[in-house]
Amino acid sequence: MPIERISLIWEHFEVIKNDKNNAICKLCRVKGLSKKEYTVAKNAGTTNLWTHLKNKHLQEHKLLKEKEDQNTTKTIHIILNHQKFNNKRLI
């Protein structure tokens, strides 16, 4: 069963098929850079991917961070509403 990619950063990266420790930046690939220039180590989670996006594609980084913040806020509201519902059922 494949690992589910949760972070939105995966919209801009894909894992290299023969090298599961590295990911390719889709934005750099479109610019025609060599594979070496847009391969990013992913062995430390998504931190390296976010850092690459911030350093090389600042506008996309900002947009993705905003999107992720909105998703986080929605998730928190869902959890809180679920907890309120469960607490009412216990009373």
Side-chain angles (χ1 to χ4, degrees):
M1 185 169 172
I3 297 171
E4 183 179 341
R5 304 290 180 207
I6 296 172
S7 176
L8 292 178
I9 194 68
W10 291 106
E11 290 179 14
H12 295 295
F13 289 88
E14 63 186 47
V15 176
I16 299 172
K17 290 179 184 176
N18 296 332
D19 182 2
K20 302 294 183 198
N21 293 321
N22 291 295
I24 293 174
C25 173
K26 296 175 186 177
L27 298 168
C28 285
R29 184 174 57 195
V30 169
K31 289 181 180 179
L33 300 176
S34 69
K35 187 175 180 179
K36 183 179 178 184
E37 291 176 293
Y38 61 78
T39 300
V40 181
K42 68 165 197 66
N43 55 355
T46 59
T47 302
N48 288 340
L49 307 179
W50 280 105
T51 301
H52 171 85
L53 197 65
K54 185 176 182 179
N55 291 338
K56 302 293 184 180
H57 314 286
L58 186 57
Q59 187 61 33
E60 289 84 355
H61 177 269
K62 287 179 183 179
L63 293 172
L64 200 59
K65 275 294 189 185
E66 288 173 8
K67 189 175 175 182
E68 190 165 82
D69 290 345
Q70 290 171 356
N71 285 353
T72 300
T73 301
K74 286 178 188 176
T75 301
I76 289 170
H77 286 275
I78 290 168
I79 291 169
L80 291 175
N81 287 334
H82 181 71
Q83 288 175 342
K84 286 179 188 177
F85 176 77
N86 283 337
N87 286 340
K88 286 180 182 178
R89 289 177 57 197
L90 295 174
I91 296 174

